Amino acid sequence: MFTALGGDTAFAMLQSFTRASMEHLKTIHLDAPLSTSQDLRLAFTTFTGQQKDLEELGIRSLALSAEDVRNIGSLPRLIRLDLHHGGDPGQDLAEACTAIGNQFPNLRKLSITNKTRIETDILVLEGLAPCCELRTVALMCRHPGAVTAEAIQRLGCGWPRLEMLSFEPWYRDEHYDYYKPTEHPGAPIAVLEDVALCWSETITEVSLIFSASDGVPEPFEVQGRFKKLRQITVEHCRVYDYQVHRVAKFIAAMCTTAPWFEYNKLAETPDYWYAVEQEVGAIIDGREA
């Protein structure tokens, strides 16, 4: 395992290593204050590209571009990747994801933090279709766009074994581009059924931004079923008291067992997800009695 916690330290260490001295390296973590140093980027991509046995790569101190990913080259054994992208709106995240899909086709777990200030469409992940072994996909960004049924269907074609899907806002602290669900209501809650239709047999955790304001399907209309769902993260979603019953009936209709709800328990405004969670559990318990 190679871990570097400082930009200058990382650069010096990367320059000093040779391929022979780091043979069979399995894990690389580069964790330090974000650096834009071209020398560090070149040293890192060169060094990483030499590690053909690499299985885990974590990059928190460099915002990698598609060109950087291509410069690393193929890493056929890489199964876990955690990286930061962008900072420059000119850096195309969709292009970077396509490069990841081509260079690291055996990935199982992927986490991307996108720091560009433009709105991000979840379909930037479509380039990851070659990674058919993906189990976990998490994308955090400053301005996540609304997720559509079509987007979920298109992504579902590429990841048949997906267990966790997360598309959430990213922020550094409470004063920095904080995501407000009242300003960005997200997708209609019905998109959860599209997730169930795509990954009924595999998905265990879902974290999306949605709203109950645009209509909630009735239980008899529901066709998608979650066979293994354990958790729904709704931290950045808003539900109101008059929506609780209908939302609970809709979610319960898709679940074979009651999921755990992750929500903002310290919200300054009323949050009724606790009531939804309790009612979903009661409906499912009553169905099983």
Side-chain angles (χ1 to χ4, degrees):
M1 177 175 178
F2 170 77
T3 302
L5 301 177
D8 293 338
T9 302
F11 180 56
M13 292 176 69
L14 289 170
Q15 283 193 314
S16 68
F17 289 131
T18 65
R19 181 175 181 178
S21 66
M22 300 298 288
E23 189 176 1
H24 305 310
L25 186 66
K26 303 293 186 182
T27 303
I28 295 176
H29 286 163
L30 196 62
D31 197 347
L34 192 66
S35 171
T36 57
S37 166
Q38 291 299 318
D39 289 337
L40 178 57
R41 295 162 78 94
L42 179 60
F44 178 78
T45 55
T46 300
F47 170 74
T48 303
Q50 295 172 343
Q51 314 310 317
K52 298 305 180 184
D53 291 327
L54 198 65
E55 297 177 356
E56 181 175 333
L57 179 57
I59 314 162
R60 295 181 180 274
S61 55
L62 288 173
L64 294 191
S65 66
E67 182 180 2
D68 293 324
V69 175
R70 287 192 290 265
N71 286 341
I72 290 174
S74 177
L75 295 175
R77 298 188 180 183
L78 192 70
I79 58 174
R80 180 170 181 171
L81 177 62
D82 180 0
L83 62 81
H84 284 200
H85 170 83
D88 176 2
Q91 293 185 9
D92 188 344
L93 179 57
E95 185 183 355
C97 286
T98 298
I100 290 169
N102 292 333
Q103 306 297 93
F104 318 136
N106 295 315
L107 277 180
R108 293 195 175 196
K109 186 172 184 178
L110 174 65
S111 176
I112 300 175
T113 301
N114 180 31
K115 297 186 176 183
T116 57
R117 294 183 179 273
I118 57 177
E119 184 174 277
T120 302
D121 189 324
I122 195 172
L123 280 175
V124 298
L125 299 171
E126 199 169 18
L128 298 167
C131 303
C132 58
E133 295 294 329
L134 272 170
R135 305 305 203 263
T136 298
V137 176
L139 172 58
M140 292 176 288
C141 50
R142 288 180 175 175
H143 303 291
V147 179
T148 64
E150 179 189 5
I152 293 297
Q153 291 160 11
R154 285 166 62 176
L155 294 176
C157 295
W159 312 327
R161 298 173 178 83
L162 193 69
E163 297 173 3
M164 193 276 274
L165 176 65
S166 176
F167 182 50
E168 294 186 290
W170 170 86
Y171 49 88
R172 188 166 55 194
D173 58 47
E174 61 183 8
H175 304 295
Y176 189 79
D177 284 348
Y178 190 77
Y179 186 90
K180 299 178 178 61
T182 53
E183 296 178 4
H184 307 274
I189 195 171
V191 77
L192 280 175
E193 185 180 5
D194 297 292
V195 175
L197 289 167
C198 282
W199 297 294
S200 173
E201 301 287 341
T202 62
I203 202 86
T204 62
E205 183 177 342
V206 178
S207 178
L208 296 175
I209 305 163
F210 52 77
S211 168
S213 301
D214 295 327
V216 182
E218 293 288 352
F220 68 84
E221 299 175 306
V222 173
Q223 297 181 15
R225 297 289 187 276
F226 290 112
K227 303 292 182 62
K228 298 181 178 180
L229 188 67
R230 296 196 303 262
Q231 178 176 321
I232 303 176
T233 298
V234 291
E235 185 177 358
H236 302 286
C237 309
R238 182 73 69 217
V239 66
Y240 298 98
D241 56 347
Y242 68 90
Q243 299 167 327
V244 167
H245 184 57
R246 190 162 186 174
V247 169
K249 290 194 300 179
F250 168 63
I251 294 176
M254 292 185 292
C255 298
T256 54
T257 58
W260 179 56
F261 285 71
E262 176 66 31
Y263 53 91
N264 187 0
K265 300 173 178 64
L266 301 177
E268 295 179 1
T269 55
D271 197 323
Y272 293 94
W273 282 112
Y274 175 77
V276 171
E277 182 177 32
Q278 295 301 301
E279 187 166 341
V280 168
I283 293 171
I284 292 175
D285 287 345
R287 200 165 61 204
E288 294 175 348

